[in-house]
Amino acid sequence: FLVGIREGLEAALIVGILIAYIVKVGNRKHLAAVWTGVAAALAISFATGGFLAFTSAELSERGEQLFAGTTSLIAVGLVTWMVFWMKSAARGLREELHGKVSTALTTGPLTVALAAFFAVVREGLETAVFAYANFRTATSNSAPAIGLTVGLVSAVALGWLLYRRAITINLSKFFTITGVALVIIAAGVLAYGIHEFQELGWFPGEGMYAWNITAWMAPDSIAATFLQGTLGFRTKFSWVELLAWAAYLVVVLPIYLRKSSPKPQVAVAK
């Protein structure tokens, strides 16, 4: 749910900015091009998610472990870059998109469609890769898919309400809070990737557990599934996984929460 609503709202806000600008400058005829670009971006994102799931299912056991471990590390890198990018780029995002669309409007609908496509496809691909890795971290049942779907639907609804100015949200606080949540989830995905490489024999300490509570908490129980999907907590957790999980949080969270230094004002002589 957190992955869906965070990534989905980012995409919805981008689409809303594009549409609002095109309507403002009186080029409604180009709205169809925007939706074409958005639809293409969504199609590629869903195709990427399907490809990841299909590829994983068709591999041998060792191949699946390598694939799952690798995609987990890629997903952690993507989500880490994304939360920091959004933190730094949020203030100037509207002006940047306006500039791109203004240039695209002078060259025709194809360029407008491409501008919308590239603005949305980044969020879609990040969602596909990170959601796949998060599904692997949790369980193989339908709970993660339901959460992702509800999150995406909620994001679309929030985006529409914001566009219609029916509600107001402190987006800075929203993205900060969800950014912290995604960093915590990413730590769990990282630990899962380490676990897969331990099963391959590439990392040591597979049987050296920091805890093993499977005797009183079933790995497929509701509580275990919730903890796995949010904190990356599993009923069996090795010391190497715990070290990677903790090290990621200790390094990334303070940097993410650190306030940006205001840019120095430059005096201009008149």
Side-chain angles (χ1 to χ4, degrees):
F1 175 80
L2 287 170
V3 172
I5 196 169
R6 161 79 187 216
E7 295 290 296
L9 187 56
E10 282 188 25
L13 290 173
I14 289 172
V15 174
I17 291 171
L18 295 176
I19 291 175
Y21 182 75
I22 289 175
V23 171
K24 180 180 178 180
V25 298
N27 276 282
R28 287 179 175 269
K29 63 181 180 180
H30 286 98
L31 289 178
V34 171
W35 289 116
T36 300
V38 170
L42 292 176
I44 289 181
S45 301
F46 281 115
T48 300
F51 169 77
L52 292 173
F54 175 79
T55 301
S56 178
E58 294 298 313
L59 293 172
S60 64
E61 182 178 355
R62 285 187 62 83
E64 191 275 337
Q65 290 169 344
L66 174 60
F67 186 77
T70 303
T71 52
S72 294
L73 297 186
I74 292 173
V76 171
L78 282 174
V79 78
T80 305
W81 172 83
M82 179 270 295
V83 294
F84 279 100
W85 175 85
M86 191 63 185
K87 181 181 179 180
S88 63
R91 292 182 179 180
L93 183 61
R94 184 185 301 272
E95 289 73 18
E96 179 185 350
L97 289 173
H98 283 180
K100 290 181 179 179
V101 175
S102 178
T103 302
L105 287 173
T106 63
T107 57
L110 177 60
T111 311
V112 174
L114 288 174
F117 171 81
F118 286 114
V120 175
V121 75
R122 177 184 59 229
E123 310 297 335
L125 291 177
E126 286 173 356
T127 303
V129 176
F130 192 61
Y132 167 78
N134 186 236
F135 286 8
R136 298 290 307 176
T137 304
T139 62
S140 58
N141 62 30
S142 60
I146 294 172
L148 178 67
T149 302
V150 174
L152 289 173
V153 172
S154 301
V156 172
L158 284 174
W160 183 81
L161 290 172
L162 287 169
Y163 175 77
R164 302 296 299 178
R165 297 185 179 181
I167 61 171
T168 57
I169 296 177
N170 187 323
L171 292 175
S172 177
K173 288 185 177 179
F174 174 86
F175 284 121
T176 298
I177 293 171
T178 55
V180 170
L182 285 184
V183 167
I184 294 173
I185 293 173
V189 173
L190 174 62
Y192 174 78
I194 298 296
H195 169 74
E196 291 297 289
F197 288 134
Q198 282 183 309
E199 290 192 338
L200 284 169
W202 292 6
F203 284 1
E206 180 184 0
M208 300 171 62
Y209 296 119
W211 62 74
N212 184 351
I213 59 172
T214 53
W216 59 274
M217 179 183 287
D220 58 350
S221 64
I222 293 176
T225 299
F226 176 78
L227 291 172
Q228 288 169 7
T230 53
L231 301 178
F233 172 93
R234 290 194 305 282
T235 54
K236 291 195 297 185
F237 217 63
S238 73
W239 283 106
V240 175
E241 293 174 76
L242 180 60
L243 178 62
W245 180 86
Y248 176 84
L249 290 179
V250 168
V251 171
V252 175
L253 270 182
I255 298 175
Y256 177 70
L257 292 174
R258 184 173 58 197
K259 292 184 178 181
S260 302
S261 301
K263 294 182 178 179
Q265 299 294 323
V266 180
V268 179
K270 294 184 179 181

